[in-house]
Amino acid sequence: ELAYPGGGPLKGKRILITSGPTHEPIDPVRYLANRSSGKQGYAIAQAAARLGAEVILVSGPTNLPAPPGVTLKRVETAREMLSACEASLPADIAICAAAVADWRVATDAEQKLKKQPGEAAPAIMLVENPDILATLSHLQKNRPALVVGFAAETEKVIEHATSKRQRKGCDWIVANDVSPATGVMGGDLNTVHLITASGKEDWPLLPKQAVAERLVRRIADHFSPAKA
Ligand code: CTP
Ligand code: CA
């Protein structure tokens, strides 16, 4: 990569990115998961590294290799993801693209759950996981200067994403429509809207790679706006 021999527009910036699903154990052989592929977060990591950023990618289980020039920290659970993020601070920018499991199993069994003849199926109790995006957004010490979240919605995309931005305390939200008809979950294309304090920008249907490139360029411009 010799695109920016002197260092790109994100040179000197340290970016923390979360990506992928999390796996929440039920017992030693079973887990709760979701359909996130990690593609969008990995693409952002790669695009940011290409612009010269120092990139730490904290990823749940995926089939993807570490993008070139990116420090990859692999985790399984939401709680491990939060710890890995905290251990990666300080950072100038945080981008939370992970599909963190909202809940984990309350009592992760030490031994494999067994069928008992004549007994009912086990009830799985869930408890809420920590919210990594909200935690990073509300840090008193070491809050990244720019915190970006994603809002995966299947309806009322802008409305839900706008209130999510407020609730989580992040600076920007990349809203995406993940309703099954879009094929976004696990696919290569994404339709997103960037929601900031000053409103919303609609982006066209783009390959996840192009969404990533556009997002990191937008971030670079935010830190050093082009002079007129
Ligand atoms: N997120 C996170 N930690 C969680 C849940 C979500 O960091 N425990 C982040 C995601 O990485 C994403 C943003 O929060 O950047 C929004 O995730 P989303 O699942 O859309 O929102 P939730 O707040 O979990 O609400 P819901 O799933 O009910 O829509
Ligand atoms: Ca969620």
Side-chain angles (χ1 to χ4, degrees):
E1 287 293 334
L2 288 171
Y4 298 99
L10 288 175
K11 183 179 155 77
K13 296 283 186 260
R14 186 171 152 95
I15 309 193
L16 169 63
I17 300 170
T18 70
S19 189
T22 63
H23 284 185
E24 307 296 330
I26 297 169
D27 70 15
V29 299
R30 303 182 177 100
Y31 57 84
L32 292 180
N34 63 61
R35 296 188 191 282
S36 168
S37 63
K39 282 176 190 168
Q40 187 64 82
Y42 278 63
I44 294 166
Q46 176 155 9
R50 284 211 180 115
L51 295 194
E54 177 190 356
V55 183
I56 300 96
L57 176 61
V58 177
S59 177
T62 70
N63 293 321
L64 304 171
V70 166
T71 301
L72 175 62
K73 297 187 179 178
R74 289 188 193 274
V75 298
E76 293 264 331
T77 67
R79 288 187 293 176
E80 288 166 9
M81 186 173 275
L82 176 60
S83 304
C85 286
E86 287 170 337
S88 303
L89 295 171
D92 301 288
I93 299 147
I95 305 174
C96 292
V100 182
D102 291 321
W103 304 281
R104 68 175 178 275
V105 178
T107 49
D108 162 16
E110 270 174 47
Q111 304 298 335
K112 184 183 166 189
L113 299 178
K114 300 293 288 178
K115 285 178 288 186
Q116 304 293 348
E119 274 189 20
I124 294 179
M125 287 268 294
L126 301 177
V127 294
E128 199 166 326
N129 265 328
D131 190 316
I132 296 161
L133 175 61
T135 303
L136 296 175
S137 297
H138 289 113
L139 286 173
Q140 297 298 312
K141 195 181 149 224
N142 280 340
R143 185 198 190 274
L146 182 69
V147 180
V148 182
F150 273 73
E153 307 294 347
T154 59
E155 52 161 3
K156 298 182 193 158
V157 175
I158 303 302
E159 191 182 319
H160 285 161
T162 302
S163 58
K164 206 166 264 180
R165 177 181 166 275
Q166 296 275 338
R167 198 166 66 239
K168 305 254 187 178
C170 59
D171 303 296
W172 297 358
I173 278 250
V174 182
N176 66 336
D177 186 341
V178 295
S179 52
T182 64
V184 161
M185 281 309 253
D188 290 316
L189 296 173
N190 211 347
T191 319
V192 311
H193 313 267
L194 181 69
I195 297 170
T196 70
S198 42
K200 113 182 137 77
E201 296 170 20
D202 298 319
W203 293 6
L205 176 67
L206 292 169
K208 289 182 179 176
Q209 186 72 45
V211 170
E213 284 163 13
R214 195 162 165 160
L215 179 63
V216 296
R217 292 225 160 261
R218 187 73 179 66
I219 290 171
D221 290 348
H222 172 79
F223 281 94
S224 38
K227 311 258 176 347

